[in-house]
């Protein structure tokens, strides 16, 4: 990474365990330099980034903030061109599966705890915790990576948002390694 004030600010925020929100302008002026062939993680909900920062996770993590906006796609394009591989996790609802399909297709991202068995385990965990069930809404979406996921979701009819998987995701990101 370069030596400009933006790069120094990014390093300082990282060292302090703080998340950073990048703008498109930042991407055009910041010199990004991560080791090639790095595995990075992409999530849908900013709460995952906050929890990972609080746990001082070492893994690179990028958040879609609910949609694949231009700044996110530009960042992932730059990282992918440098040889980075992505693991994706999002919400278990129909819009979440549609977004996951877009990320998986565009970047050959590997689903991260996004299989039908992950959904079923998370649904059981949420039920045990007494969290009220939120029904799925909208048209079902087939997951490109798991032909059984849509059927499992339709069968349980429960939308499961990323926040319910925080503990699993933060553990996967390697807390305390920074």
């Amino acid at each position: 990474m370069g030596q400009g004030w933006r790069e120094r600010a990014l390093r300082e925020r990282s060292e302090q365990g703080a998340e950073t929100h990048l703008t498109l302008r930042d991407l055009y002026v910041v010199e990004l330099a991560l080791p090639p062939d790095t595995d990075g993680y992409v999530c849908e909900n900013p709460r995952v980034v906050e929890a990972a920062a609080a746990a001082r996770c070492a893994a690179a993590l990028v958040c879609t903030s609910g949609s694949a906006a231009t700044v996110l796609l530009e960042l992932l394009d730059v990282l992918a061109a440098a040889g980075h591989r992505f693991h994706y996790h999002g919400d278990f609802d129909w819009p979440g599966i549609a977004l996951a399909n877009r990320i998986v297709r565009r970047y050959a991202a590997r689903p991260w705890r996004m299989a039908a068995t992950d959904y079923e385990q998370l649904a059981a965990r949420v039920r045990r915790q007494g969290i009220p069930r939120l029904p799925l809404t909208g048209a079902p979406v087939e997951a490109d990576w798991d032909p059984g996921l849509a059927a499992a979701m339709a069968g349980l009819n429960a939308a499961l948002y990323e926040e319910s998987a925080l503990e699993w995701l933060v553990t996967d990101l390697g807390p305390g390694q920074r």
Side-chain angles (χ1 to χ4, degrees), residues 35-113:
D37 296 324
T38 299
D39 281 312
Y41 293 81
V42 181
C43 65
E44 184 176 345
N45 192 299
R47 182 64 189 108
V48 177
V49 177
E50 294 167 1
R56 302 190 61 79
C57 293
L61 176 64
V62 175
C63 181
T64 69
S65 292
S67 68
T70 301
V71 68
L72 170 85
L73 295 175
E74 288 283 332
L75 175 61
L76 295 180
D77 286 349
V78 167
L79 294 172
H84 298 282
R85 296 173 303 270
F86 303 113
H87 303 269
Y88 182 82
H89 189 277
D91 292 337
F92 283 111
D93 63 359
W94 303 129
I97 300 305
L99 175 57
N101 279 339
R102 287 193 301 275
I103 300 296
V104 165
R105 287 175 194 151
R106 183 169 177 146
Y107 301 105
R110 295 179 204 129
W112 168 33
R113 292 193 182 255

Side-chain angles (χ1 to χ4, degrees), residues 9-173:
L10 288 173
R11 278 193 298 276
E12 177 70 21
R13 290 187 64 76
S14 176
E15 289 165 4
Q16 296 302 316
E19 65 277 5
T20 299
H21 302 271
L22 297 175
T23 66
L24 200 53
R25 183 175 176 208
D26 290 329
L27 291 180
Y28 292 142
V29 297
V30 169
E31 181 184 326
L32 295 174
L34 296 172
D37 296 324
T38 299
D39 281 312
Y41 293 81
V42 181
C43 65
E44 184 176 345
N45 192 299
R47 182 64 189 108
V48 177
V49 177
E50 294 167 1
R56 302 190 61 79
C57 293
L61 176 64
V62 175
C63 181
T64 69
S65 292
S67 68
T70 301
V71 68
L72 170 85
L73 295 175
E74 288 283 332
L75 175 61
L76 295 180
D77 286 349
V78 167
L79 294 172
H84 298 282
R85 296 173 303 270
F86 303 113
H87 303 269
Y88 182 82
H89 189 277
D91 292 337
F92 283 111
D93 63 359
W94 303 129
I97 300 305
L99 175 57
N101 279 339
R102 287 193 301 275
I103 300 296
V104 165
R105 287 175 194 151
R106 183 169 177 146
Y107 301 105
R110 295 179 204 129
W112 168 33
R113 292 193 182 255
M114 290 290 292
T117 55
D118 298 313
Y119 172 79
E120 292 163 344
Q121 290 171 1
L122 189 58
R125 181 178 183 208
V126 165
R127 208 173 22 253
R128 283 191 306 274
Q129 292 173 339
I131 298 171
R133 184 183 65 78
L134 298 171
L136 291 164
T137 59
V141 177
E142 293 293 326
D144 289 352
W145 62 93
D146 186 340
L149 180 56
M153 290 173 62
L156 292 178
N157 189 29
L160 299 173
Y161 299 111
E162 235 176 356
E163 296 95 319
S164 61
L166 274 181
E167 183 180 317
W168 292 349
L169 302 177
V170 169
T171 297
D172 291 348
L173 293 169

